[in-house]
Amino acid sequence: MLDLFADAEPWQEPLAPGAVILRRFAQARASALMQGIEQVASASPFRQMVTPGGYTMSVAMTNCGGLGWTTNTRGYLYSPVDPLTDAHWPPMPDVFAALCHDAACAAGYPDFQPDACLINRYAVGAKLSLHQDKDEADLRAPIVSVSLGLPAVFQFGGLRRNDPLQRLLLEHGDVVVWGGPSRLFYHGIQPLKPGVHPLTGDCRYNLTFRQAANNE
């Protein structure tokens, strides 16, 4: 059921060592976050990236911040320049940075300083296969992932692709933070089911904050 606890105060659900779901944490700032997404997309439009193996991803993506996650024929990488526009990625909106800071602090990572935010847009049927976030220079920094719009089933496993999976429904405003022992755990999103959300329409949006460069 969509937003069953929409009026509830935010609460935390432990997920794994170093990982937690902050339920409804971003809900009060959702409209401002969506305005930030529109601002970023006006400068760097959403696109479906093509993997090095030639597969077109079902999720549409863009980035903001000092670095952006992208692909080319050689692999996956972070770049300061958007290959679609040949210009620097848009700066990270203040509302993004503030939410990420607050969520990281709530999850026990007060020193997290993201320099990249990957924005994913899921249409009906779009998914993200099991993967590890391992393209970052410093894997000691956590990941902060914000869900907006339609609900989706989040899969969270272990250090091996075939480890048992937890399947959890992420709803509008939920934030997942993982780092430390679970930083390299496999995770993914099952195909998005049809629906309509009052803020995002027939889509789900996800903000994934990362520290891509080594700040030392």
Side-chain angles (χ1 to χ4, degrees):
M1 182 180 295
L2 180 61
D3 291 343
L4 178 63
F5 303 104
D7 297 327
E9 290 295 318
W11 73 96
Q12 295 192 13
E13 290 181 12
L15 182 56
V20 64
I21 303 177
L22 307 175
R23 294 289 187 184
R24 306 301 185 269
F25 194 88
Q27 195 170 67
R29 292 182 250 191
S31 293
L33 292 170
M34 284 303 302
Q35 291 175 7
I37 290 173
E38 293 171 2
Q39 173 188 331
V40 170
S42 67
S44 284
F46 281 100
R47 78 295 306 262
Q48 289 171 274
M49 296 184 185
V50 178
T51 69
Y55 169 74
T56 300
M57 301 180 72
S58 62
V59 178
M61 299 177 173
T62 187
N63 292 273
C64 61
L67 294 169
W69 185 86
T70 186
T71 68
N72 61 25
T73 56
R74 298 186 297 275
Y76 306 104
L77 70 152
Y78 283 97
S79 169
V81 174
D82 179 351
L84 187 65
T85 66
D86 206 28
H88 286 280
W89 296 103
M92 195 179 299
D94 290 343
V95 64
F96 284 22
L99 174 67
C100 179
H101 171 77
D102 293 347
C105 288
Y109 299 97
D111 298 325
F112 181 42
Q113 297 181 353
D115 53 13
C117 177
L118 173 65
I119 307 173
N120 293 334
R121 184 182 66 198
Y122 292 79
V124 173
K127 64 179 182 178
L128 206 56
S129 300
L130 281 178
H131 66 283
Q132 296 170 298
D133 289 343
K134 58 182 181 180
D135 299 318
E136 299 74 37
D138 189 347
L139 296 177
R140 293 172 297 179
I143 303 291
V144 174
S145 178
V146 182
S147 294
L148 297 170
L150 290 179
V153 176
F154 178 61
Q155 300 178 116
F156 197 70
L159 290 172
R160 298 173 299 180
R161 184 180 291 274
N162 60 353
D163 282 343
L165 292 172
Q166 299 183 66
R167 294 178 175 84
L168 307 115
L169 187 68
L170 295 181
E171 294 186 289
H172 180 61
D174 289 345
V175 180
V176 185
V177 184
W178 67 96
S182 61
R183 174 60 178 77
L184 287 176
F185 278 17
Y186 277 90
H187 56 282
I189 292 288
Q190 291 185 353
L192 189 72
K193 293 184 178 180
V196 176
H197 191 276
L199 184 62
T200 67
D202 58 358
C203 292
R204 171 185 186 262
Y205 291 85
N206 173 253
L207 309 176
T208 302
F209 296 92
R210 301 162 176 167
Q211 181 182 312
N214 193 330
N215 291 338
E216 295 183 351

